[in-house]
Amino acid sequence: MTHTTPHPTTPARLSPDPLPRFAPDLLAGSPDGLLATSTALASAVGAALAAPRSGGPLPVGAPADVLRSAADALGPAVLPLVGVGEDAALHRLARVLVGHGVDLAHPLAAAHLQPPPLAVAVAADALASAGNSSLDTYDSGPATLAVERWVVGALAGLAGLGDRADGVLTPGGSLSNLLALLLARDAAATRLGMDVRRDGVAALPGPVVLCSELAHFSVHRACAALGLGECAVRPVPVDHRRRMRVDVVAARLRRLGAGHTPLAIVATAGSTDFGVVDPLPQLAEVAAEHGVWLHVDAAYGFGALFSERLAPRLAGLELADSVTVDLHKLGWQPAAASALLTADASAFAALDREVAYLNPADDSLAGYDGLLGRSLQTTRRPDAVKIAATLLAHGRHGLGRMVDACHALAGHAQRRIAAEPELELVGPAELTTVVFRYRAPDPAWDDDVNAGLRRRLAEEGHALVGRTAVRLAGPGSPRRVCLKFTLLNPTATREDVDALVDAVLDAARACVAGRAGRPRRDRAMPEPVSDATDAALTTPDPTSALTTEEGAA
Ligand SMILES: *Cc1c(COP(=O)(O)O)cnc(C)c1O
């Protein structure tokens, strides 16, 4: 039987309705559109520069008030039937962002590992957005595939990972850690002759992941997400310099019975609060001896490799099986700019997948495949473009100077804090952070005053400092509220750091004055929870660290 389909050009069969017409510059990627994008950006920047600012890193006011006025400035949360036009929309958003947002380039912004991004990276990111390439297949964007391979090669080279190294960009350090533990899990299972990808993890006997008690909480979350359970994570105590104790790692691995599968040692290179680097060469030796995957979480610390002065602190990184890198921390990229590097490309075999509409075998053989097999994502932003622009523009020297500047600012903060009788230095400037606390006249007020002064500064919009919790009196002691400067602004000065310390002192004294005369509260403070690490923090006291049960092992 034959079908008689109407010929497509038969005029009578075509809808007579004309197609809607659009301006030639509607789409960012066209030549007209690129120009329109640049004009619109210039206009939005004009609005941002003209918008009223608080003068500090945060808007003035309590969080609920700031959020309400930001919502008011946006207008009712309904999709308008008729749009206001591009310029009006961009101007409104620019005013909201500037008037109610955070100013990370302000020299008194020093709370989190959230840097002020570099101009060249933002420009490159905008260009990459206009192209909207992906990375899963060849035809989703050949250029960005090449750019990501270039970035991975450059970063792996800087890490010293060798010729077989590989890697992939991810949406953040948390997900780089997840991916690393997935590769480690599947590698361990394969050694046991198991296919956990197909069969699930139920049959994997007693998975164990060893990490410092100061490791980032994303290690715990990754184990939960991977079906290993958070109980797979065995936090290892730290020494007097807050480094994971290698003797304890070795003793635990020796003692693991047949019912257990050691999946990975997770070393931290640059702990979130203190910037401490675990002893990488010794951990690599133990990992090799036991045939265990060594993952180094260098989310924060990797950037230290740009600095000739600080790079030696990461010696041993080249011995890792995998490395987490966050360039949206010590790398001045707009988020996200993270990578998981591996010592061996074959590690990614666990992610191989053939998908009919993306990478059929004959297309792959002909070279049409992309990086689908490196990632848990399918569509993926070309984050490599801004990183490549930054590495090319500034080079190792340029970035190293920025790292050195921030390290020097942290050193200045450390000296200033140590010289202030009202302040107590808790963690010295290893990389670009300093941890400290205010000593209230009544030690029972310490936690309240330190927590309160930070909120006071934030509400005044005057200065943005970080907060964490540290066990000051050894393992098992309660965690006490501490303050933290995270210095990531290479254009800030020593005077700015002095102004930060002065702001802390002023706010502390105001908090103390507010308390004095009030009846003393006898109920205990709730145990504070660190916003950076979920793990216990210990004091720099070698004896207490060595008296733990494993100290003798
Ligand atoms: C910040 C951080 C992470 C998490 O990275 P995100 O990019 O915020 O997901 C992991 N590990 C360490 C040591 C970190 O400092």
Side-chain angles (χ1 to χ4, degrees), residues 113 172-174 177 216 218 268 270 272 297 299-300 326 328-329:
L113 284 167
S174 303
N177 283 344
H216 193 263
S218 57
T268 307
T272 309
D297 178 358
Y300 173 21
D326 265 6
H328 56 239
K329 290 179 175 167

Side-chain angles (χ1 to χ4, degrees), residues 104-109 115-116 332 402 405-406 409 486-493 496:
L104 295 170
H106 193 284
L108 301 196
W332 298 281
M402 296 181 213
C406 294
L409 290 172
T486 306
L487 298 160
L488 289 178
N489 184 340
T491 68
T493 62
D496 292 325

Side-chain angles (χ1 to χ4, degrees), residues 134-442:
S134 185
L135 292 133
D136 39 342
T137 64
Y138 167 82
D139 56 6
S140 66
T144 49
L145 285 177
V147 175
E148 176 158 317
R149 304 310 290 158
W150 186 90
V151 166
V152 164
L155 296 178
L158 187 59
L161 284 176
D163 296 343
R164 305 175 58 82
D166 202 346
V168 68
L169 266 60
T170 80
S174 303
L175 290 167
S176 293
N177 283 344
L178 173 78
L179 191 54
L181 287 169
L182 183 142
L183 301 185
R185 179 197 72 178
D186 291 9
T190 303
R191 278 200 301 275
L192 295 175
M194 298 170 55
D195 183 351
V196 286
R197 192 165 119 182
R198 187 191 60 205
D199 303 327
V201 292
L204 195 65
V208 170
V209 171
L210 293 162
C211 66
S212 159
E213 59 179 314
L214 299 183
H216 193 263
F217 65 86
S218 57
V219 173
H220 302 249
R221 287 179 123 182
C223 286
L226 291 169
L228 307 170
E230 290 202 22
C231 63
V233 182
R234 307 291 170 81
V236 173
V238 295
D239 66 12
H240 65 289
R241 288 175 56 194
R242 297 193 168 90
R243 298 175 310 173
M244 169 151 66
R245 281 184 46 194
V246 182
D247 58 326
V248 176
V249 173
R252 287 200 185 160
L253 284 173
R254 269 199 306 275
R255 264 193 260 137
L256 277 186
H260 286 97
T261 312
L263 296 187
I265 298 172
V266 177
T268 307
S271 61
T272 309
D273 283 340
F274 298 102
V276 163
V277 180
D278 286 335
L280 303 179
Q282 293 87 334
L283 287 168
E285 210 170 293
V286 173
E289 190 184 320
H290 293 268
V292 178
W293 187 286
L294 176 65
H295 173 61
V296 179
D297 178 358
Y300 173 21
F302 189 89
L305 289 176
F306 296 127
S307 155
E308 273 173 47
R309 190 177 319 159
L310 294 178
R313 298 185 185 202
L314 269 70
L317 186 68
E318 70 282 1
L319 304 170
D321 292 296
S322 55
V323 177
T324 286
V325 180
D326 265 6
L327 292 175
H328 56 239
K329 290 179 175 167
L330 204 47
W332 298 281
Q333 298 300 297
S338 184
L340 179 74
L341 306 175
T342 61
D344 198 314
S346 66
F348 284 101
L351 290 174
D352 261 354
R353 180 160 291 266
E354 193 184 322
V355 181
Y357 80 98
L358 293 174
N359 61 349
D362 54 332
D363 264 9
S364 292
L365 264 176
Y368 280 82
D369 57 345
L371 294 170
L372 184 70
R374 297 272 190 315
S375 181
L376 287 170
Q377 295 172 267
T378 307
T379 305
R380 200 144 65 75
R381 269 183 60 77
D383 289 319
V385 174
K386 63 197 170 198
I387 302 175
T390 301
L391 299 181
L392 286 169
H394 292 284
R396 186 173 175 191
H397 271 137
L399 290 161
R401 285 179 65 224
M402 296 181 213
V403 171
D404 286 341
C406 294
H407 178 62
L409 290 172
H412 180 73
Q414 173 186 329
R415 285 187 293 278
R416 173 75 203 277
I417 289 163
E420 284 292 341
E422 289 164 88
L423 299 178
E424 173 187 350
L425 181 71
V426 173
E430 296 277 352
L431 297 177
T432 66
T433 61
V434 190
V435 180
F436 64 101
R437 69 201 305 255
Y438 183 78
R439 277 196 262 248
D442 182 341

Side-chain angles (χ1 to χ4, degrees), residues 450-464:
N450 279 284
L453 77 87
R454 192 184 90 97
R455 289 192 292 267
R456 187 184 190 97
L457 289 170
E459 214 158 296
E460 290 169 349
H462 184 49
L464 191 49

